[in-house]
Amino acid sequence: MAATGTGWVLLAACLWGLLGIFGKFAQAHGLSPLEVAFWRALLGGACFALSALLRRSALPRGRDLLLTLLFGLSGVSVFYGSYQLAVRAGGASLASVLLYTAPAFVAVSGWLFWKERLGRRELAALLLTLGGVALISLGGGSGVQVSALSLGWGLTAGLTYSLYYLYGRVFFTRYDPQALYAVALPVGALGLLPFVEFAPKVPAAWLNLSAIALLCTFAAYSAYSFGLRRLAPTRASVIASLEPVVASLLATLLFAERLSAPALLGAALVIGAALLLSAAPSEAHPEGR
């Protein structure tokens, strides 16, 4: 049972690691980062809607619906857009690593809004995250553009991805997550629509967009969800931390992106901080990217 769960989570990590790769390929075909994010939200939302319909999952209503709509604008529109902008500005490997600042943002949010105590574990993780981002900023690398823009978009992606933890604390146990995504992703697509300039698309562009929606969004979430049914959340998070490793290896092979030694150390600190926080008993684990 555990071996099966490990396989599902490992598959999810590999699929999430492909997100920046497919995004970079799609952008190379003339699509803007925000158009890539738009189609990811729209096509991925259609997959979740069909799944929720087949499962006959109840949709959120009333106040829960309103909060889900707001989550769609922040956790989908801003998150999906900023991640693709980070890929364009700095590279797929850098964007993937900076995404793992999300648990640090969760710890700070819990302290600010829920009066949760910042213990030694949380403070150590925050220091590791800050030190890791500083080393990445100073280290750079070959084929990796470390700039205020790439760091800003990458950290924005990490911040808005942290909303999945916060939103999930309440709603992922109350509703079928696929039903929630069936609402949030189309709303996120609508939020992106005013900022998208649609480009002519060759078949290869549609292939990459479809891969992002089907593999990196719907299939990756489903695989991680299957894994969580068979593994403890902490163990699942440790396995899922392979995502930036997969992204970095592929970015090296396909785009000649290579983080310098100090930047690699910084990346290790950021991922280590995420793992440290994932072991905290109060930690919530998101079920999507």
Side-chain angles (χ1 to χ4, degrees):
M1 184 71 74
T4 303
T6 299
W8 281 117
V9 175
L10 184 59
L11 175 61
C14 291
L15 292 175
W16 278 323
L18 290 170
L19 177 58
I21 305 300
F22 285 129
K24 195 159 184 175
F25 277 133
Q27 293 179 41
H29 288 295
L31 278 67
S32 70
L34 295 185
E35 184 177 0
V36 174
F38 169 82
W39 287 111
R40 180 192 180 193
L42 186 66
L43 298 176
C47 293
F48 284 116
L50 178 59
S51 175
L53 179 64
L54 294 175
R55 293 156 65 101
R56 298 183 179 180
S57 301
L59 298 177
R61 297 180 179 181
R63 181 174 176 270
D64 292 349
L65 176 59
L66 176 60
L67 292 174
T68 300
L69 297 178
L70 293 174
F71 170 72
L73 294 175
S74 54
V76 178
S77 297
V78 181
F79 170 47
Y80 283 16
S82 60
Y83 188 83
Q84 293 299 327
L85 287 164
V87 169
R88 183 181 68 175
S93 55
L94 181 63
S96 182
V97 168
L98 291 177
L99 190 63
Y100 271 71
T101 59
F105 284 117
V106 173
V108 173
S109 298
W111 174 65
L112 287 174
F113 301 111
W114 283 277
K115 308 302 180 184
E116 293 179 354
R117 179 176 173 270
L118 285 177
R120 292 180 180 178
R121 184 200 304 269
E122 289 78 14
L123 290 173
L126 290 175
L127 290 175
L128 286 174
T129 300
L130 291 173
V133 172
L135 283 172
I136 292 170
S137 304
L138 296 173
S142 173
V144 178
Q145 302 298 321
V146 178
S147 64
L149 196 62
S150 61
L151 290 173
W153 287 125
L155 292 173
T156 300
L159 172 62
T160 48
Y161 176 47
S162 72
L163 298 176
Y164 283 75
Y165 293 78
L166 305 175
Y167 176 81
R169 285 181 177 182
V170 178
F171 291 95
F172 283 169
T173 55
R174 187 180 299 176
Y175 297 96
D176 180 357
Q178 299 214 2
L180 297 173
Y181 286 134
V183 174
L185 266 68
V187 170
L190 287 175
L192 286 162
L193 184 58
F195 306 99
V196 175
E197 294 184 5
F198 292 97
K201 284 171 277 297
V202 298
W206 282 117
L207 183 62
N208 283 285
L209 291 173
S210 299
I212 289 173
L214 293 174
L215 299 179
C216 305
T217 306
F218 179 74
Y221 157 76
S222 299
Y224 191 72
S225 180
F226 293 153
L228 280 180
R229 296 175 189 172
R230 297 164 174 83
L231 286 179
T234 298
R235 186 173 178 184
S237 290
V238 171
I239 298 169
S241 67
L242 289 172
E243 173 195 347
V245 177
V246 172
S248 297
L249 288 175
L250 290 174
T252 298
L253 293 173
L254 298 172
F255 308 118
E257 293 182 12
R258 293 179 177 84
L259 293 171
S260 67
L264 282 173
L265 176 59
L269 292 180
V270 170
I271 297 170
L275 293 175
L276 185 62
L277 285 172
S278 75
S282 62
E283 182 64 31
H285 299 269
E287 298 189 6
R289 289 289 189 279

